[in-house]
Every structure is written in C-alpha cells, then in structure tokens.
Amino acid sequence: MATLPEWLRPGARPVSLLPQRATAHRLLRRTLGAMGRSISLLVREPDGPGVGALRTADPRAKLLAAVGLIVATTFLRGLLPLAACLALALALSAAAKVPGRRLLPVMIAVPLASTALLLPATLNIVSGGPPLLVLWRSAGGAFGPWRLPEVVAVTADGLLVAGRMVLRTTACAALALLLAATTRPQRLLGGLRSLGVPQAFVMVLAMAERYLAVLLRSAQELHLARLARSVAPIGVRREEAWAAAGVGAVFRRTRSLADAVTLAMVSRGFTGEVRLLRPACWRRTDWLLVAAAAAVAAGLLILDRRLA
Amino acid sequence: MHIPDGYLGPQTYLPAWGVMAPLWSWASARLKRTLSVRRLPMMALAAAFTFVVMMFNVPLPGGTSGHAVGSVLVAVLLGPWAAVVAVSLALAVQALLFGDGGITALGANCLTMAVVMPFAGWWTYRLLAGSSPAGSRRRWVAAAAGGYVGVNAAALVTGVLLGIQPLIARDPSGRPLYCPFGLGVAVPAMAVSHLLVIGFVEAAVTALALAYLARTEPGLALADQTAEGPSSRGLRRLGLSVAALALLSPLSLVLVARFGGGTAWGEWSAGELSRLTGYLPSGFQRLSSLWRAPLPDYGPPGAEGVSVVAQGVWYVVSAALGVAAIGAAVLVLRRLFTRKERDGHAA
Amino acid sequence: MSGSQGETVFAVEAVRFAYAGQPLCLDGVSFDVRRGERLALVGANGSGKSTLLHLLNGLFFPGEGRIAYLGSPLTEAVLDAAPFGPRFRQEVGFLFQNSDAQLFCPTVEDELAFGPLQMGWTQAEVFRRIEDTLALLEISRLRGRFPAGLSAGEKKRVALASLLVLAPSVLLLDEPTAGLDPRSQSLLLEILEALHTRGLTLVTATHDLTLLPHLADRVLVLSEEHRLVADGEPEPVLADTEMLLAVNLIHAHSHRHGRLVHTHPHQHVVAHEHVHGHHHEHEDQAEPKK
Ligand SMILES: Nc1ncnc2c1ncn2[C@@H]1O[C@H](COP(=O)(O)OP(=O)(O)OP(=O)(O)O)[C@@H](O)[C@H]1O
Ligand SMILES: [Mg+2]
C-alpha cells in the first residue's frame, strides 16, 4: 500500500479553518425527511392481521368506494352534508386505525392552508353581501393613488363560501388519505388492474412505483452525502447547481436501471405483450362496501339538495 | 401548481379528464410506434424520475424553497410524448398511491403539468436549440428558456382553470361554489409568482441538469437527436403561438388593471393557491414568493383619465408595496404551520 | 432435465464484442459449455464477465464470432421467432448482478408469475408452480412482500425463485454471492449445489476466489485485456499464482486472518467456513434452525 500523507496519519493536527458558526441544514433535513417518509410508505410491511376491517377489503372495492365518495363530495354545497362527509371519513379512519402520524399532518395542514387561502374570500370585497362584522371603517377617499374601501367587513356569504371550501378540501383529503393508508400501493395496483385499466398501464404504474423506492434511495444518498460534508450555506446559485447535478445523476441511474430492467424482462420471455396475474374474485363483503359507499354518497347528495 | 380536490367543480374536472383520455391513448400509441415496446421500463423509470425531481428542494430568495416540476427536462431528454406519459404517471402515483389528494383534479393537473408544460417547453427549446450539438451553450440556454416558458404556460392554464370557477359554478344565490377567486385574481397571481420566481427555478434545474449530463456523458443523445421527438412544421407553428402566449402573459397584468380592478383583495391568497400543492408540506414551503398583495383597490384616482399603461404600472407598484404587509402575515402563518406539522409528526 | 449428459449447451467461437462507441470488451473468446457442467467465469472488475453472460443469454449479440445454443446460432431473428425464442427463455435462466433490476414487479408473487405468464401457462398452473418454488426456496412468507423492502439475501433468493419457477435447465449466475452475509451465502451455495446434483448446468461469474471450489468444476479466467487466459479445474487454476497476479485477480499484500497477521504474495483462498452437509434433495434443505 502507498504510504499515507502526513495529514492522514493518526495524530495529525486538524486544520482550523472550519467556519465558526455551524448552520442547521434545515432545507436539506426537510427534504431528507420527506424522502424518508416516502420511502417508508413504499416499503412498508404488510399490515398485521385483524387491523380494521377496511384493511382487508378488496382493493377494487375500496378504490371504487373512495373515488365515488370523493366525487360525491365535490358535488355537495351545504355545510352540513360536507361536515357529515368529513366526519364519516374521520370515523372510518379511526375505525381502520390509520396511524395518527399519517392522519394528523394532513388533517392539520389541509384545513389550515385552505383557511389561510380563503380568508380574503370571507370579506365583502371578494364575496359581497351585507356586513356581519366590520373590521375596518374609513372615511373612504384616496391614499396617494389608491382608493380606499369605506368598509372592510366579514360577510355571511363570505363565511359560507370559505367554509364550504375548507370543509370540502379537508373531506376530500381525508378520504384520499383513508384509501392510501388502508391499502398498500401494490394491492391498489391490483385493484386498478381489475377495474379495466389496461394491463400495460398498470404494469408501467407498478414499475414506476417499484423503482421510485430505488431512485428515492439514491436521491436520499446524495442528500445525505451533502449533509455529511457541508458545514455552511452555499448560496442560492450553487444550491441550484447542486440540485441540478443531483437531478442529472438520478437521471443517469434512471436510464441505466431502465436498460437493465428491459434486459431482465426480455430474459424472462417478455416480448412486448403484458400479461399479469388475474386478481381474486369479488367477495360479498366487497360488494357490500361498494353498495354502502354508493348509498352514503346518494344520501349525502339528497340531503344536500333538500337543504339547499 | 398541483390543484387539490375541491377547488375545481365537476364542470371543469370532468372535461379535463375528457381531454386527457384521448391524449393519453395518443401518447402511448405514439410511444409504441417510436420506441420499441420493450422499452416499457423507460416510461416507468421516467415517471419515478419525475417524482424524485419534484422532491429536490431549491432555496428561493427570501428564505423559502421551491422545487422544479421536471416536465420540460423529461421532454428534452426523452421527447414530449414520453413526458406526457411519465409526468401523468408521476402525478397518478402521488394522488392515488401516496394519498396526497388531487384525485378528481388529476385530469386537470395532468393537462397543465403533463401536456401544456412539456409541449410549451419543448417547442421553445426546439426553436432556440436548432441543430446545435448536445453540449453547446446554445442548447443550454434553449433548455433554460424551455423550462421557463413551460412552467409559465402551465401556471397560466392553472390560473385560468381556477379563475373560471366563480364564473361557471355558483349556487342559487350567486355565491361561488368552488375556487372563489376570479380570472382577474387567479391568473395574475399565478402568472406573477411564476414569472418572477418559480420560472427561474425550473429554468435553472432544466438547464443545469442538462449541462451536467452533457458534461458527464459525452455520448448523450437528446430526444430531438433521436427519432423520438416530433418535428413537423405544423407542430412548430403551434408551439410558437403557445410560447408567445406564455411570454405575453404579463400583459394580463395590464388587462386586469383595466378590467378587473374591484377584486384585487384576494390576490395574495390566490398566489398562495398556486402553491397549495396536492401535497401540502412542499406547497407551504414556498409560501412567500415575490408575489404579494397589492393594496386594496389599486386603481388610480379618476381611472377614466388614466392610460392602461399607467394603470398597469400602478398595479405593479402596488403589488410591490403589498409585499411588506402580506409578507408578514404569510411568514406568521408559515411559522404556525411548520410548528403544527412538527407537532403532528411527533404525535 | 432435457438433454443428455455431456452434450454441448453453448458453443462460443471467437467472440468479439464492444458496446456502441466503446473499446472492445470481449476479444476472441472461445469455449464450450457442456450439459451438467458447473463452470465459473472469473476475472477482475471490468474484464467482461457480465457482458459474456449477457451474450450467452441472447440479450446482446457478438460483433464477430458466433454463439450457438444446442447447435442453433443465437441471433436476434432466431430469438424473436416463435418456437425457439420462448423455449430458450424458458430453458436458460439469468440471475442478474443487480437484483433491483431483476425484481421489477410490485410483489414477490407477481415476480414469480411474470416468466410463466409470458410463456402462456394457465393461471392455475402458474399458481401451483409459484407455491412449489416458494416452498423449495423457503420464502413462502415473502409471498406478498414488496421487493424494495427485502434484504439483499432475500432479494437474491426471490430472483433465483423467479428463474426456477420456469424449470430452466441452464442457469447463468452473475455474482450470485456478492453482498451476501456468510449465512445467506452458504444457503445460496447449498441451493446451487442441490440444483447441480439435479442436473442443471451452471455458469457463474464471480471474482470471489474463496467460493470457487464450491461453485465450479471448471474455471475460465478472463484477463483485463478481455481474453480467455485459463480454462481448467479450480485447483490448478487457483494454484497458478503468476497468472492470477497477471490478470489482477490477486494482489501481493499483507492482511489479517483473525489474530494472525501474515504477508503472502498470493491469493487468499481460505477454506470456506460454512460448509454444510451436502443434501441431494431440495426438499430436505432446511434452514439452520436458530
Ligand atoms: N451497458 C454498457 N455500456 C457501455 N459499456 C459497458 C456497459 N456495461 C459494461 N460496460 C463496459 O464493459 C466492460 C466490461 O464490463 P462487465 O460489466 O462485463 O465487466 P465485469 O467483468 O462483469 O465486471 P464486474 O466484476 O465489475 O461486474 C467495462 O469496461 C464496462 O465499463
Ligand atoms: Mg459484472
């Protein structure tokens, strides 16, 4: 072996050029956190037996039920039916034991973000209508080049519009999450397969999902290597250059993997025609689930029209 | 730019699915013709790649961060039809398998990010790149322009989709049922945030990633140098008009100043809407972009006597003045949000 | 097993191959593989072992020279044709160096089903084969699992299962033991041993000289110049220190075995420490019980 340079030998004095201030790499850590969460969702183990009846239901049935309910939700207008829909989604999540660490971020972030977004819609300036709560009153007139409104007030119409949006987005998010959290992606793909989605499409989607884990791991490695070696912020320009190089590196991995996977498929007899396993038959409980979802959706819609 | 469920009414999302269905089948038919069927894995891997690109965060001026969509990069590398399939699949994985929402809006999201964006970007790139070699500076610049135009075109369409909601879906008493902000709010909000900030992120990531690949892989074959990209003149002309449309979108500022004055209050929030992505954490990371609230009712006094250009200038000035006021509010909200999210994870 | 003992499975004649726009990566390679043989390909990194296996599997085609399988030349046209192509794919299994590339299906079950379904077998037959193969390799509990969540050893075993489910008569193995812990390694070796006694032809690429005696009855050595420089039984080939040094497979150095430090200018062919009793039936290959 070649002799080690003196600065690599044990006992060498460290160079004291390190920056005085160690910065927390919040952005890097946040990205890494998001990647880690995605990976763990992808590689999550099969659920233990008996964890909620919703988990064991057929993925096709769940898919139909969830999509049906979400579509129905987008048709609802009244606050009460929307709230009922949200309550149903939350109750089902609780019954299916969706872990709090998955449910809570969504159930906090979505309403909060919607509320923030829609706050201005509660005001008379956007929604019009008679004022309910006057926030600000002025003599009107102009401030420099700007005309000032005489009254800024929260209105009943505005509250209804904003409330409807917040409830609807939250309910939709809760239903989508319920589906994803109670069904492993692989099973969901099986569900798609038997709902008439072309096999080639399902195969590509499945493969995308399969290799997402692999590509995310290499992106995670890039970020970890970066985190391990960097001590100070490097500025927006260089951050962009680094991210772009990372994207380029991931693309190279993408292409070499695609080549290798193609060969592996050909090696096992793939000639271009996709053939997949036929999924299991429908059971009575699966029909029941779909029927129940349809009934709930219909009930909500009828209630909605009655109240309107 | 992801639109979550609930912001678009069925009158919008159903036609969007209707538009996407033939586009998807056309795209896959095209790919079957141009790529060997055996290249199925490339589509899958490209979809996974797009998903990963969306996870690379880049800091933005002002302490926030954003991410590129990557559609234009995929179009440049593999061709625009490949991008249609790959980005659609990535969005489908996000919406369905990850439960990030946007299931009903998937058609609309695919329309903006998987069709408008790659094609607008691709045509711009093709126009500028000409037949320059893969590693050349010209190609690099063309890719940057492609990324910029592509993401802005997509933002414009997103703004229009959101902005028409109050026009087409109202309850019996005339209140908007879905996104309450009209065209005069949603379009400029989307346009300005993307023209000023997010467009540059997309441009930088597209061009730099391409430059990196050209540097590290001398034999790199880009989509337009293989048989995979379309090159007919008609497509090119159409591309030109889309690119022009995207570049002209600042004009909407002036138009809005002229016709949409009364609704200015909602603008800051509609700007946030653009970043209320299907998955919220990354959406909220980008909350404070350069687009902030203009002061209420920004029309200059005696609007009849003032030229459209002057009104446009006032509009932009008021937008800049609004930064301080709304910026503070947004920052407070962001703080609140990040803390809440952390609590959520700890729970 | 189809075919008689001793017939020529692969005939490789003066094969030269280069990837597009790259220098030669196989330069005039000739050898035969006979039925029931256990052949090992050794060579330094980049010497062309994986490339050669790809050529044997009909995934790439030689620029010059020819490769024949059971007397028929392997060309793109022949492999795309109906009776020969599918039969070749069924009879010759290829275990890729990168398990991630090989396991492309959403679940282990789908993975095993892929090959048989391509062959056009009925669903019932496919399910029966899957069950038997999973039991044979003792991975029934992995059936519903997601390949990305498996350990390296589990991935290798699932990949092997996805080949065995097709009942191949020839296995091409690219670095089958790389990255496995000693227990997974010995398990894999046991399986391969059992398959060999069942008459399978095994061609293994490796640079792990310690495992050679367990993997092969015959060794081919590829030099860094991408030529075949040795062909013979493991013992004499491994004893030829000069040749092994010349192809950069071994390195004169000092290293440590346990507490014993010694310097030796030759390979470290250490006795494999995980030799288990040889089982001649698959069925009684029990995992060592903890
Ligand atoms: N797909 C490819 N395209 C271009 N060159 C390649 C490709 N795959 C391998 N090579 C090159 O061909 C040569 C032989 O590679 P090969 O993978 O066959 O070696 P190997 O003996 O299997 O090495 P290792 O022990 O590292 O697996 C190397 O120089 C490698 O860089
Ligand atoms: Mg190799």
Side-chain angles (χ1 to χ4, degrees):
Chain A
M1 193 181 210
T3 39
L4 290 172
E6 111 324 283
W7 48 266
L8 249 184
R9 287 193 206 130
R13 277 163 47 83
V15 185
S16 54
L17 290 177
L18 294 175
Q20 297 305 302
R21 189 170 53 90
T23 37
H25 302 279
R26 283 205 293 138
L27 182 60
L28 268 177
R29 287 188 195 285
R30 206 163 51 200
T31 310
L32 274 168
M35 287 179 171
R37 278 193 298 278
S38 299
I39 294 174
S40 64
L41 285 184
L42 284 170
V43 302
R44 112 183 98 129
E45 290 309 307
D47 308 302
V51 191
L54 263 187
R55 292 188 187 275
T56 53
D58 188 277
R60 281 169 292 191
K62 274 191 280 189
L63 192 63
L64 277 181
V67 172
L69 280 175
I70 290 175
V71 169
T73 309
T74 64
F75 279 91
L76 299 180
R77 295 166 173 192
L79 292 181
L80 191 67
L82 281 167
C85 192
L86 175 59
L88 175 73
L90 291 179
L92 287 177
S93 302
K97 300 200 175 72
V98 174
R101 83 195 121 74
R102 271 205 91 178
L103 190 64
L104 279 178
V106 176
M107 285 304 101
I108 290 169
V110 172
L112 205 70
S114 307
T115 309
L117 250 157
L118 292 155
L119 269 182
T122 62
L123 301 177
N124 58 342
I125 330 172
V126 171
S127 298
L132 204 65
L133 171 69
V134 175
L135 295 181
W136 188 57
R137 200 188 287 279
S138 76
F143 176 76
W146 294 280
R147 252 195 335 252
L148 301 179
E150 269 144 41
V151 176
V152 175
V154 175
T155 65
D157 284 349
L159 281 178
L160 176 63
V161 166
R164 191 150 63 191
M165 287 298 295
V166 172
L167 277 177
R168 192 189 299 118
T169 49
T170 312
C172 286
L175 285 168
L177 184 74
L178 177 63
L179 173 67
T182 57
T183 321
R184 286 200 301 149
Q186 299 83 276
R187 302 240 305 142
L188 206 53
L189 291 166
L192 280 178
R193 190 185 304 174
S194 56
L195 286 175
V197 178
Q199 296 213 328
F201 181 83
V202 175
M203 172 105 206
V204 172
L205 192 61
M207 222 182 254
E209 194 253 332
R210 159 76 182 90
Y211 286 107
L212 186 52
V214 178
L215 291 187
L216 274 174
R217 283 218 176 103
S218 45
Q220 193 185 31
E221 271 161 29
L222 284 173
H223 280 82
L224 276 173
R226 167 79 198 288
L227 187 65
R229 275 183 290 121
S230 57
V231 280
I234 58 174
V236 171
R237 287 280 135 230
R238 289 179 58 197
E239 282 280 2
E240 272 178 359
W242 180 82
V247 166
V250 174
F251 181 75
R252 296 211 317 198
R253 180 125 170 78
T254 300
R255 213 176 24 195
S256 65
L257 254 179
D259 290 342
V261 172
T262 306
L263 292 178
M265 290 175 73
V266 170
S267 171
R268 274 198 274 155
F270 182 66
T271 53
E273 193 195 337
V274 177
R275 299 190 181 121
L276 302 171
L277 273 182
R278 255 201 314 277
C281 296
W282 286 76
R283 291 165 302 176
R284 181 147 6 111
T285 46
D286 302 329
W287 286 116
L288 269 174
L289 181 64
V290 175
V296 168
L300 284 171
L301 283 171
I302 291 170
L303 176 70
D304 191 51
R305 292 302 176 262
R306 279 277 167 78
L307 290 177
Chain B
M1 207 185 301
H2 300 58
I3 306 173
D5 285 321
Y7 280 86
L8 298 182
Q11 304 91 328
T12 312
Y13 71 68
L14 290 177
W17 280 98
V19 170
M20 280 317 293
L23 278 172
W24 280 322
S25 69
W26 195 18
S28 45
R30 252 200 97 87
L31 289 178
K32 252 184 209 150
R33 239 184 310 136
T34 51
L35 302 172
S36 146
V37 231
R38 292 183 171 172
R39 305 282 295 147
L40 206 94
M42 191 66 229
M43 289 294 76
L45 265 300
F49 169 71
T50 314
F51 190 105
V52 175
V53 170
M54 292 188 207
M55 297 210 88
F56 272 83
N57 278 303
V58 176
L60 297 177
T64 54
S65 66
H67 67 83
V69 178
S71 308
V72 180
L73 181 61
V74 175
V76 166
L77 292 168
L78 302 172
W81 291 105
V84 171
V85 174
V87 180
S88 298
L89 284 167
L91 292 174
V93 167
Q94 264 176 5
L96 272 178
L97 305 183
F98 277 80
D100 285 335
I103 292 178
T104 59
L106 185 60
N109 283 328
C110 286
L111 191 65
T112 56
M113 281 180 279
V115 177
V116 173
M117 182 165 173
F119 273 99
W122 165 261
W123 282 319
T124 310
Y125 161 79
R126 287 294 303 125
L127 274 178
L128 297 180
S131 53
S132 53
S136 67
R137 192 184 160 75
R138 183 167 165 204
R139 217 162 248 283
W140 198 86
V141 172
Y148 186 79
V149 170
V151 82
N152 275 294
L156 183 66
V157 175
T158 308
V160 169
L161 287 177
L162 291 170
I164 57 175
Q165 296 308 308
L167 301 179
I168 60 175
R170 289 174 174 273
D171 62 12
S173 358
R175 291 168 296 220
L177 276 172
Y178 302 99
C179 175
F181 306 108
L183 280 173
V185 178
V187 170
M190 290 298 291
V192 170
S193 57
H194 284 76
L195 282 169
L196 294 184
V197 185
I198 298 168
F200 292 106
V201 173
E202 192 76 39
V205 169
T206 308
L208 293 173
L210 197 68
Y212 170 86
L213 282 169
R215 200 171 60 239
T216 53
E217 225 172 312
L220 180 73
L222 300 171
D224 57 307
Q225 295 163 330
T226 59
E228 285 159 29
S231 58
S232 76
R233 189 156 296 169
L235 286 181
R236 187 176 285 203
R237 206 168 304 136
L238 194 59
L240 207 83
S241 40
V242 170
L245 210 71
L247 285 173
L248 283 178
S249 57
L251 193 70
S252 61
L253 284 186
V254 176
L255 291 178
V256 163
R258 186 80 186 85
F259 301 110
T263 50
W265 244 115
E267 293 194 359
W268 70 274
S269 53
E272 306 320 318
L273 191 61
S274 68
R275 265 141 280 132
L276 182 67
T277 59
Y279 58 122
L280 280 148
S282 76
F284 246 69
Q285 285 156 19
R286 295 193 282 167
L287 261 180
S288 49
S289 71
L290 288 189
W291 175 252
R292 298 286 149 71
L295 290 179
D297 224 359
Y298 46 74
E304 300 92 315
V306 183
S307 73
V308 170
V309 175
Q311 286 194 31
V313 171
W314 285 128
Y315 184 95
V316 173
V317 169
S318 66
L321 283 175
V323 166
I326 304 302
V330 167
L331 275 179
V332 168
L333 262 175
R334 234 187 100 230
R335 272 284 149 73
L336 207 70
F337 169 77
T338 42
R339 193 165 313 133
K340 279 268 163 76
E341 192 198 20
R342 212 169 300 136
D343 293 348
H345 286 309
Chain C
M1 276 318 128
S2 64
S4 54
Q5 205 72 17
E7 75 179 313
T8 304
V9 180
F10 284 110
V12 181
E13 284 168 38
V15 161
R16 288 157 69 89
F17 177 85
Y19 290 98
Q22 305 265 327
L24 267 190
C25 128
L26 288 174
D27 188 0
V29 173
S30 305
F31 62 97
D32 281 355
V33 181
R34 300 195 170 279
R35 178 73 67 198
E37 207 166 32
R38 276 197 314 176
L39 188 72
L41 279 173
V42 301
N45 288 126
S47 55
K49 305 180 295 290
S50 301
T51 308
L52 186 51
L53 289 184
H54 279 78
L55 288 167
L56 289 179
N57 198 221
L59 297 172
F60 302 145
F61 302 94
E64 281 173 47
R66 50 173 245 144
I67 298 181
Y69 174 71
L70 300 179
S72 344
L74 282 184
T75 63
E76 209 155 3
V78 167
L79 279 170
D80 282 344
F84 184 80
R87 193 170 62 99
F88 178 78
R89 296 292 172 215
Q90 184 254 304
E91 288 177 358
V92 181
F94 184 8
L95 187 77
F96 283 74
Q97 189 165 2
N98 178 358
S99 300
D100 271 331
Q102 181 143 30
L103 304 179
F104 47 79
C105 290
T107 66
V108 169
E109 180 177 44
D110 288 310
E111 198 60 60
L112 264 68
F114 185 85
L117 288 173
Q118 300 307 307
M119 297 300 153
W121 297 355
T122 64
Q123 300 261 333
E125 174 68 12
V126 173
F127 277 119
R128 198 171 68 87
R129 295 267 188 133
I130 291 177
E131 220 133 281
D132 293 349
T133 314
L134 288 174
L136 175 68
L137 296 185
E138 292 163 23
I139 46 176
S140 299
R141 76 208 140 78
L142 301 181
R143 185 166 185 158
R145 289 272 298 270
F146 181 52
L150 299 178
S151 74
E154 288 170 334
K155 277 184 192 167
K156 271 280 178 277
R157 270 204 277 173
V158 172
L160 191 60
S162 74
L163 306 177
L164 290 184
V165 72
L166 279 170
S169 54
V170 180
L171 280 183
L172 308 173
L173 308 158
D174 199 352
E175 313 272 3
T177 55
L180 301 190
D181 64 27
R183 199 181 79 99
S184 309
Q185 245 181 38
S186 54
L187 271 171
L188 191 72
L189 289 176
E190 270 177 33
I191 293 166
L192 294 179
E193 174 81 40
L195 290 173
H196 172 61
T197 58
R198 285 293 181 84
L200 257 78
T201 310
L202 303 179
V203 181
T204 312
T206 183
H207 39 214
D208 189 347
L209 300 182
T210 59
L211 294 181
L212 265 194
H214 307 273
L215 279 169
D217 307 320
R218 183 181 153 205
V219 180
L220 300 182
V221 182
L222 272 174
S223 71
E224 286 189 299
E225 290 72 44
H226 315 295
R227 295 199 190 89
L228 268 190
V229 291
D231 180 348
E233 289 186 10
E235 304 292 304
V237 170
L238 288 179
D240 190 349
T241 316
E242 224 160 274
M243 183 272 296
L244 293 178
L245 271 172
V247 299
N248 271 336
L249 257 176
I250 55 169
H251 182 50
H253 63 171
S254 59
H255 65 168
R256 190 188 280 267
H257 289 306
R259 258 166 285 125
L260 210 74
V261 182
H262 55 136
T263 308
H264 51 173
H266 58 83
Q267 78 275 27
H268 37 138
V269 181
V270 187
H272 178 53
E273 280 157 314
H274 316 282
V275 189
H276 296 256
H278 285 221
H279 301 280
H280 294 285
E281 291 300 319
H282 306 202
E283 286 72 24
D284 54 29
Q285 269 178 37
E287 253 179 65
K289 294 284 182 297
K290 276 165 235 147

